[in-house]
């Protein structure tokens, strides 16, 4: 049974941003969503999270039609995402940044405190829990971003270029964390340009170009696909 | 649900707004076969001068009703065409141009207050209209308009006259070497008050130890610092030229910081309004201010009591100032004098009516008199006097409707009791 | 000499606290929610008149009457935001939305003034209580309760708001939504609800600031329009969106005005405090307390 199903999604901003995109993601998948700039990856993400509404088509999450559901309700159902440029709440301390999503599922201050501690420990920020986000490094801010998304206890986690700008050693460390997350039962969609990481991490790859899905399949098959090559390298 | 509610709210707000901002309203006798004589004016019916404007409107309405009950003027009913200028003098010229050129009223009355009256003066002059003024200070100083007639009791000496009364009273105490603090609101009125006070102080050979202007309300919310600065100079006489909010706040601040000058007040406006009198109550004890009517036996102006009786019975119903001691008698007289001139000359010609008023002076419920021979348009002799409150025991309005509590201490011709010296300020 | 300085500073502190109460709601609506609610001072005056009404009609202590009108204002602000969101915020991009909102709220300000004039008349109204005229003396410093009680209420209001925004869950959500509405939405916060609450709170502070206003000095309907400049400048000076910053800004303006009045002359009061504002904004464009 599919965790997330997208049927014939179309969206136009005056130009067609997405055309008849079908996508089916099973629980436990590690999807790599790739494509050149402007191919519709961000639009697709925004339609999944509910930030924008699609013109046509259906979004089904865990057998429930969520096409018309608002973004915050979808996130409470377990759809989370991170941003490429971290967007922490600067006036709240690190721990309080996590309280906002945690409150959606936990009621007591004590439980929130414990769970926040566990998540910060997972991403390696436990010693910064009482500091302000502005005192974190860029990478630590990204870790906070990840912890904040995980605080929703998501079923589906969309990662928007979490690895950009990291050294290969740091990438390995980050992928290690992501594997732990996946093993805990979270389905991941990863938007990424670093192909080595995508190949190593994902079990399935979806390629978008000019608003259309041009390929879908196992990583090794995808990179043998001539159409993908054309999209990436040009004619 | 919330959207519907919002929509409904918007509709209500728009309806109310358009209602309250609606244009001119004409009132008068209907069903008469003769064309009414129309008098036009703008008035401050809302905004910070609204209470004055509303009381003037009521006085005019009473005046027109009186005339219409007698069969009108020249056998024709009289009608009032008026607009709300929102206490904003910059709206006034446009409204008067409209009254004269579009509404084509037969005569005009001035708006309320110095800034508005000054603003409409060029319009009145341009069209050669007779221009009866309702409560302005020396509005004609720069214009010297022949047909401006100021229905305001201060006379040619204007505010300087108030200062004279105040310092004359202080001098009558016989005490020597008195020091003076002058504080006034930073507007046209305050400027004139301060100027006049300085002139007057010089005349009596007193020493000024403080002279400043405070920013008009609501820029000044707290008056304790300024009053404390005055207190710190130890001035014996504290002369104040304030608008109503300042008046109330300065009196309270004096009480709070414990400043008790020997004589306090002078040109504080707003003390003729019931709302302010009842607000202050016993705090007024010992305070002095210039008034134009109080129920003291020495005041015998025309048939002002009869007018006030009518006014007070109507004001209670219409929710305007229930006392009417300040503007209403003069506003009535302003309208009444104009209508009398029309009736007497049998003419609607501005020059004929204007010349008649100029020659025959003013004559109505406030009594009668001539115009300043120097041509300022003011009345020939001041009718202002200085009141010192005493024996006020409560905040009840009835305190201010009986003789003996608002004693006239200057000038001599109206004096109804001795000055209390030094002022027993704020004592119950 | 020293007595005068002390008394002057105390006066400045007392009035400064009241200024903070007036500006704090604007700091929330303009600073946190980016809604240029220039009708805020109008609602302050409306709160003052309602307090006056409850006091005169039912003989309620104004401070108590103020508490009673808070829920009314809260509900009004809550619903007004819903409408604003529906018709302005969600339909236009932020800048365009703010411009049209300026026009909207200017209209609201005029309407409030008109409604108050029609309902309560245009006279100056004030509430006098048994405690109004009491003056307490601490050595040479005299403190009048008419000034001190509004000050204490303002301090209390600032403290409550500070704790609310920094300690309660909804307060945190409001802060989060204010900073990054999209990010907050994606972690389960309903931005419309959070902003409605915040706007309701903003209106509640306006109501109570009105209560304090009418205890302090006489008010009349058009005062809101005239009070606009000062309220805005204090909110900006404090660093929009910061309750503590607003409080400090209020105190700075209050003390500056008070000292200027006493030592330079009251005609300079406005000029000096606005020059001070310009200098602070030039040196620290985000205001005193923004992070």
């Amino acid at each position: 049974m599919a965790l997330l199903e997208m049927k014939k999604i179309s969206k136009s901003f005056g130009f067609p941003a997405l055309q008849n995109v079908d996508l089916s993601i099973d629980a436990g998948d590690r999807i790599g969503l790739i494509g050149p700039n402007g191919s519709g990856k961000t639009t697709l993400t925004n339609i999944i999270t509910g930030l924008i509404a699609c013109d046509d088509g259906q979004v089904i999450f865990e057998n429930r039609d969520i096409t018309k559901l608002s973004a915050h309700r979808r996130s409470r159902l377990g759809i989370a995402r991170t941003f490429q440029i971290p967007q922490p709440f600067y006036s709240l301390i690190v721990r309080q940044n996590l309280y906002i999503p945690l409150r959606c599922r936990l009621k007591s201050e004590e439980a929130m405190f414990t769970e926040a501690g566990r998540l910060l420990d997972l991403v390696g920020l436990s010693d910064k829990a009482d500091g302000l986000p502005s005192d974190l490094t860029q990478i630590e801010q990204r870790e906070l971003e990840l912890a904040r998304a995980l605080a929703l206890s998501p079923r589906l986690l969309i990662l928007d270029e979490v690895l950009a700008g990291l050294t290969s050693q740091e990438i390995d460390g980050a992928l290690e964390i992501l594997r732990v997350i996946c093993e805990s039962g979270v389905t991941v969609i990863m938007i990424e340009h670093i192909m080595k990481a995508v190949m190593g991490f994902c079990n399935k790859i979806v390629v978008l170009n000019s608003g259309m899905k041009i390929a879908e399949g196992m990583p090794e098959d995808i990179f043998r696909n001539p159409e993908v090559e054309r999209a990436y390298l040009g004619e | 649900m919330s959207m519907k509610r919002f929509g409904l709210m918007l509709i209500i707000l728009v309806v109310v707004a358009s209602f309250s901002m609606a244009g001119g309203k004409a009132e008068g006798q209907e069903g008469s076969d003769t064309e009414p004589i129309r008098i036009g004016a703008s008035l401050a019916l809302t905004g910070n001068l609204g209470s004055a404007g509303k009381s003037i409107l009521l006085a005019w309405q009473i005046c027109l009703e009186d005339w219409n009950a007698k069969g009108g003027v020249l056998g024709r009913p009289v009608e009032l065409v008026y607009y709300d200028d929102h206490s904003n003098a910059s709206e006034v010229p446009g409204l008067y141009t409209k009254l004269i050129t579009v509404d084509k009223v037969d005569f005009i009355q001035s708006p309320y207050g110095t800034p508005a009256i000054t603003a409409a003066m060029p319009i009145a002059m341009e069209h050669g209209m007779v221009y009866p003024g309702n409560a302005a200070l020396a509005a004609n100083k720069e214009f010297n308009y022949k047909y401006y007639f100021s229905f305001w009791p201060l006379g040619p000496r204007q505010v300087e006259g108030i200062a004279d009364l105040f310092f004359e009273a202080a001098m009558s105490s016989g005490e020597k070497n008195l020091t003076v603090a002058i504080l006034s609101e930073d507007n046209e009125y305050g400027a004139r008050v301060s100027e006049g006070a300085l002139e007057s102080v010089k005349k009596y050979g007193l020493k000024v130890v403080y002279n400043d202007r405070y920013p008009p309300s609501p820029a000044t919310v707290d008056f304790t610092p300024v009053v404390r600065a005055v207190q710190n100079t130890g001035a014996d006489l504290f002369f104040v030229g304030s608008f109503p909010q300042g008046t109330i706040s300065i009196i309270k601040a004096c009480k709070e910081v414990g400043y008790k000058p020997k004589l306090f007040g002078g040109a504080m406006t707003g003390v003729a309004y019931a709302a302010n009198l009842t607000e202050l109550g016993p705090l007024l004890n010992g305070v002095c201010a210039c008034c134009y009517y109080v129920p003291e036996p020495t005041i015998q102006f025309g048939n002002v009591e009869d007018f006030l009786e009518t006014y007070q019975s109507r004001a209670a119903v219409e929710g305007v100032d229930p006392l009417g001691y300040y503007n209403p008698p003069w506003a009535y007289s302003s309208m009444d004098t104009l209508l009398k001139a029309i009736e007497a000359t049998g003419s609607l010609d501005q020059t004929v009516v204007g010349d008649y008023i100029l020659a025959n002076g003013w004559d109505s419920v406030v009594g009668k008199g001539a115009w300043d021979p120097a041509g300022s348009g003011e009345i020939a002799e001041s009718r202002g006097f200085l009141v010192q409150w005493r024996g006020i025991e409560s905040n009840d309005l009835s305190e201010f409707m009986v003789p003996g509590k608002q004693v006239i201490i200057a000038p001599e011709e109206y004096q109804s009791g001795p000055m209390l010296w030094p002022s027993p300020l704020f004592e119950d | 000499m020293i007595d005068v300085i002390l008394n002057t500073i105390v006066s400045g502190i007392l009035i400064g606290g009241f200024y903070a109460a007036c500006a704090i709601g604007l700091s929330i609506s303009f600073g946190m929610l980016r809604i240029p609610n220039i009708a805020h001072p109008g609602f302050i005056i409306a709160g003052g008149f309602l307090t006056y009404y409850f006091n005169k009609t039912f003989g309620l202590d104004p401070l108590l009457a103020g508490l009673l009108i808070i829920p009314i204002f809260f509900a009004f602000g809550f619903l007004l935001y819903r409408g604003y969101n529906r018709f302005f915020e969600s339909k236009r991009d932020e800048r365009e939305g703010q411009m049209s909102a300026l026009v909207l709220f200017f209209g609201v300000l005029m309407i409030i003034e008109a409604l108050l004039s029609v309902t309560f008349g245009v006279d100056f109204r004030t509430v006098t209580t048994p405690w109004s005229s009491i003056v307490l003396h601490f050595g040479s410093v005299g403190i009048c309760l008419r000034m001190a009680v509004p000050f204490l209420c303002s301090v209390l209001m600032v403290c409550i708001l500070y704790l609310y925004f920094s300690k309660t869950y909804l307060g945190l959500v409001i802060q989060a939504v204010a900073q990054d509405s999209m990010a907050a939405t994606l972690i389960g916060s309903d931005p419309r609800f959070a902003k409605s609450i915040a706007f309701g709170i903003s209106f509640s502070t306006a109501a109570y600031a009105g209560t304090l206003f009418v205890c302090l000095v006489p008010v009349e309907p058009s005062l809101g329009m005239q009070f606009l400049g000062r309220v805005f400048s204090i909110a900006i000076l404090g660093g929009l969106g910061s309750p503590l910053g607003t409080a400090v800004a209020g105190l700075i303006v209050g003390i500056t005005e008070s000292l200027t009045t006493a030592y330079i002359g009251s005609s300079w009061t406005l000029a000096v405090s606005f020059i001070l504002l310009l200098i602070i904004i030039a040196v620290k464009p985000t205001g005193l307390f923004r992070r």
Side-chain angles (χ1 to χ4, degrees):
Chain A
M1 180 197 87
L3 176 73
L4 175 77
E5 212 164 340
M6 305 186 79
K7 292 181 182 163
K8 300 212 175 308
I9 299 290
S10 292
K11 177 71 187 177
S12 164
F13 296 113
F15 60 91
L18 286 178
Q19 300 177 54
N20 279 327
V21 174
D22 285 307
L23 189 64
S24 178
I25 295 170
D26 290 327
D29 269 352
R30 301 183 299 277
I31 307 286
L33 183 60
I34 64 172
N37 284 331
S39 59
K41 296 182 304 250
T42 308
T43 309
L44 188 67
T45 318
N46 285 343
I47 287 175
I48 297 174
T49 54
L51 281 182
I52 58 176
C54 53
D55 299 337
D56 250 318
Q58 250 190 325
V59 185
I60 292 161
F61 185 71
E62 291 187 311
N63 283 335
R64 178 175 171 190
D65 187 346
I66 58 167
T67 318
K68 297 223 180 307
L69 209 59
S70 66
H72 71 272
R73 296 206 184 281
R74 292 190 198 192
S75 61
R76 288 180 195 172
L77 290 179
I79 300 178
R81 72 164 286 183
T82 64
F83 287 90
Q84 185 181 350
I85 298 161
Q87 304 183 334
F89 303 122
Y90 287 102
S91 71
L92 310 183
I93 61 169
V94 169
R95 188 197 314 284
Q96 285 176 335
N97 264 271
L98 301 191
Y99 280 7
I100 289 166
L102 282 176
R103 184 65 180 218
C104 298
R105 56 191 179 94
L106 301 175
K107 291 297 157 230
S108 83
E109 179 93 10
E110 212 182 331
M112 291 203 296
F113 185 87
T114 322
E115 180 67 0
R118 188 185 71 77
L119 290 165
L120 290 173
D121 205 32
L122 177 70
V123 298
L125 279 179
S126 9
D127 52 334
K128 305 277 170 68
D130 294 313
L132 283 173
S134 48
D135 297 330
L136 300 182
T137 66
Q138 188 70 21
I139 292 171
E140 286 171 330
Q141 289 194 3
R142 224 178 270 176
E143 288 165 347
L144 170 60
E145 181 96 356
L146 182 63
R148 203 173 64 183
L150 290 174
L152 280 171
S153 186
R155 304 276 293 123
L156 176 66
L157 174 63
I158 304 171
L159 301 166
D160 192 354
E161 304 209 19
V162 275
L163 305 175
L166 301 190
T167 65
S168 61
Q169 211 177 352
E170 286 165 344
I171 289 179
D172 290 343
L175 288 179
E176 204 45 55
I177 297 176
L178 294 183
R179 286 207 182 86
V180 174
I181 293 166
C182 286
E183 274 155 29
S184 70
V186 180
T187 305
V188 169
I189 298 177
M190 179 189 256
I191 301 173
E192 197 52 74
H193 283 299
I194 300 167
M195 287 308 149
K196 197 184 117 205
V198 177
M199 297 284 285
F201 180 75
C202 301
N203 67 341
K204 185 173 162 189
I205 289 180
V206 174
V207 189
L208 287 180
N209 189 29
S210 306
M212 282 180 289
K213 187 171 81 176
I214 58 170
E216 182 174 6
M218 308 273 284
E220 44 273 26
D221 299 336
I222 286 295
F223 287 96
R224 283 188 222 109
N225 186 327
E227 214 179 330
V228 174
E229 207 169 314
R230 249 199 323 277
Y232 264 88
L233 302 174
E235 300 295 335
Chain B
M1 160 76 165
S2 66
M3 198 222 122
K4 259 189 205 158
R5 233 184 255 178
F6 183 77
L8 185 67
M9 198 173 69
L10 265 187
I11 292 167
I12 292 172
L13 290 180
V14 167
V15 167
V16 171
S18 50
F19 168 74
S20 65
M21 291 166 189
K25 296 161 195 155
E27 291 188 357
Q29 228 175 40
E30 281 169 26
S32 163
D33 26 276
T34 41
E35 187 91 339
I37 292 174
R38 300 161 81 225
I39 317 280
S42 90
L43 273 176
L45 297 175
T46 53
N48 58 346
L49 303 173
S51 54
K54 283 188 165 171
S55 66
I56 289 177
L57 179 63
L58 178 56
W60 286 349
Q61 285 166 335
I62 293 171
C63 182
L64 294 195
E65 282 159 24
D66 288 352
W67 276 89
N68 286 330
K70 293 186 296 194
V73 178
L74 305 177
R76 292 164 61 181
V78 204
E79 179 184 283
L80 188 60
V81 180
Y82 64 95
Y83 298 98
D84 181 7
D85 59 40
H86 308 105
S87 306
N88 182 355
S90 63
E91 289 184 26
V92 168
L95 292 175
Y96 275 83
T97 307
K98 181 165 186 275
L99 283 166
I100 296 169
T101 59
V102 180
D103 300 328
K104 300 204 187 313
V105 295
D106 298 296
F107 284 89
I108 54 169
Q109 275 285 348
S110 85
Y112 169 71
T114 312
I117 291 177
T118 316
M121 185 83 78
I123 315 290
M125 291 168 73
E126 188 190 327
H127 295 92
M129 304 293 280
V130 174
Y131 191 44
N134 297 285
L137 297 172
N140 207 17
K141 209 173 177 183
E142 280 80 29
F143 300 100
N144 290 311
Y145 183 42
K146 190 179 171 193
Y147 295 142
Y148 171 71
F149 303 108
S150 175
F151 285 83
W152 198 235
L154 284 173
R157 285 268 296 143
Q158 292 286 297
V159 188
E160 293 84 341
I162 304 182
D164 282 351
L165 290 176
F166 182 85
F167 293 112
E168 200 179 289
M171 293 307 282
S172 73
S173 70
E175 206 164 318
K176 295 281 177 296
N177 300 324
L178 291 170
T179 54
V180 178
I182 301 167
L183 177 68
S184 63
E185 185 151 321
D186 202 355
N187 59 16
E188 191 94 340
Y189 172 79
R192 292 218 153 112
V193 168
S194 290
E195 260 169 53
L198 282 176
E199 205 180 288
S200 189
V201 161
K202 209 180 294 168
K203 193 162 79 187
Y204 294 107
L206 297 163
K207 187 179 163 219
V208 176
V209 291
Y210 183 97
N211 179 18
D212 206 349
R213 317 263 296 277
Y214 63 87
S217 110
T220 311
V221 178
D222 178 18
F223 283 81
T224 41
V226 66
V227 167
R228 210 173 264 124
V230 174
Q231 180 186 31
N232 205 35
T233 65
D236 300 309
L237 310 177
F238 186 14
F239 183 78
V240 180
S242 54
F243 270 16
Q245 194 190 21
T247 300
I248 293 175
S249 299
I250 290 171
I251 291 175
K252 285 185 176 175
C254 274
K255 155 103 193 250
E256 284 159 18
V257 307
Y259 176 37
K260 292 194 171 184
K262 289 176 177 157
L263 205 59
F264 167 39
M268 300 195 293
T269 63
V271 284
Y273 293 120
N276 300 337
L277 289 172
T278 52
E279 163 61 26
L280 287 166
L283 280 181
L284 277 169
N285 285 327
V287 175
C288 290
C290 179
C291 291
Y292 309 127
Y293 177 81
V294 286
E296 289 291 298
T298 51
I299 296 301
Q300 302 291 341
F301 295 152
N303 43 355
V304 66
E305 270 92 2
D306 297 342
F307 164 74
L308 283 174
E309 201 176 308
T310 315
Y311 172 90
Q312 286 171 355
S313 65
R314 292 281 299 274
V317 182
E318 302 191 16
V320 299
D321 178 54
L323 277 181
Y325 289 175
Y326 195 54
N327 297 298
W330 287 92
Y332 183 99
S333 302
S334 166
M335 186 63 90
D336 194 34
T337 303
L338 175 67
L339 298 180
K340 275 179 179 155
I342 300 170
E343 183 81 8
T345 57
S347 170
L348 291 177
D349 186 85
Q350 301 291 326
T351 324
V352 174
V353 173
D355 286 337
Y356 179 87
I357 298 176
L358 196 56
N360 292 280
W362 45 280
D363 175 11
S364 184
V365 292
V366 289
K368 56 170 91 178
W371 301 106
D372 175 18
S376 65
E378 303 296 337
I379 63 172
E381 274 171 45
S382 171
R383 289 274 296 266
F385 46 80
L386 199 64
V387 159
Q388 190 180 40
W389 281 270
R390 61 195 64 175
I392 310 284
E393 284 158 5
S394 75
N395 295 64
D396 201 86
L397 185 60
S398 59
E399 294 266 6
F400 303 94
M401 298 175 89
V402 293
K405 306 223 167 181
Q406 308 175 84
V407 173
I408 300 170
I409 56 171
E412 222 165 301
E413 60 177 307
Y414 302 126
Q415 192 164 4
S416 63
M419 172 178 66
L420 301 179
W421 180 273
S423 285
L425 284 173
F426 319 125
E427 283 165 16
D428 291 346
Chain C
M1 190 59 203
I2 191 82
D3 294 352
V4 181
I5 296 180
L6 271 179
N7 273 302
T8 306
I9 292 177
V10 167
S11 286
I13 292 173
L14 295 185
I15 195 73
F18 164 69
Y19 287 165
C22 289
I24 198 161
L26 192 65
S27 184
I28 294 170
S29 61
F30 192 37
M32 288 187 166
L33 311 180
R34 288 176 200 83
I35 300 172
N37 179 15
I38 53 174
H40 192 79
F43 287 105
I44 294 179
I45 303 302
F49 270 94
L50 280 179
T51 305
Y52 167 81
Y53 173 77
F54 279 113
N55 173 268
K56 280 282 173 298
T57 315
F58 307 111
L60 283 178
D61 185 85
L63 298 179
L64 191 67
L67 290 180
L68 291 179
I69 60 173
I70 281 181
I72 306 172
F73 274 66
F74 180 85
F76 185 73
F78 189 92
L79 292 175
L80 189 65
Y81 178 75
R82 288 284 151 119
Y84 174 76
N85 174 267
R86 182 109 164 73
F87 295 107
F88 286 83
E89 221 167 39
S90 58
K91 288 229 174 120
R92 297 165 172 84
D93 69 57
E94 192 177 335
R95 248 191 117 148
E96 193 197 334
Q98 281 188 352
M99 285 316 289
S100 38
L102 267 182
V103 179
L104 168 81
F105 285 111
F106 190 73
V108 172
L109 182 58
M110 309 279 280
I111 291 166
I112 295 171
E113 189 188 322
L115 281 175
L116 290 178
S117 302
V118 170
T119 323
F120 295 101
V122 287
D123 285 324
F124 282 98
R125 300 292 183 196
T126 185
V127 172
T128 312
T129 60
W131 45 263
S132 287
S133 57
I134 298 172
V135 182
L136 303 176
H137 291 278
F138 302 92
S140 60
V141 177
I143 293 181
C144 173
L145 289 190
R146 180 175 67 96
M147 306 288 302
V149 170
F151 170 78
L152 291 175
C153 293
S154 301
V155 169
L156 197 65
M157 192 196 278
V158 170
C159 289
I160 290 173
L161 287 177
Y162 174 75
L163 290 175
Y164 180 79
F165 283 117
S166 61
K167 300 288 177 227
T168 70
Y169 169 68
L170 204 49
L172 294 180
V173 170
I174 292 171
Q175 276 200 60
V177 167
Q179 283 168 60
D180 193 330
S181 174
M182 187 174 68
T185 306
L186 292 174
I187 49 173
S189 312
D190 180 354
R192 209 164 63 116
F193 179 73
K195 288 184 175 184
S196 304
I197 295 283
F199 211 51
I201 292 173
S202 166
F203 272 62
S204 310
T205 67
Y208 212 69
T211 300
L212 304 180
F213 209 157
V214 81
C215 292
L216 265 175
V217 287
V219 298
E220 51 93 9
S222 72
L223 219 53
M225 189 87 77
Q226 304 171 49
F227 210 57
L228 189 60
R230 176 170 295 159
V231 174
F232 250 83
S233 51
I234 291 171
I236 292 169
L237 182 63
L240 289 164
S242 158
L244 289 186
T246 311
V248 173
L251 292 181
I252 289 178
V253 171
I255 294 170
T256 313
E257 283 185 355
S258 186
L259 287 173
T260 312
T261 304
Y263 291 100
I264 305 178
S266 52
S267 31
W268 284 94
T269 310
L270 275 189
V272 170
S273 49
F274 274 93
I275 290 169
L276 180 82
L277 173 74
L278 283 177
I279 293 173
I280 294 181
I281 292 299
V283 175
K284 202 159 182 314
T286 52
L288 292 171
F289 277 75
R290 191 122 195 228
R291 61 185 193 201

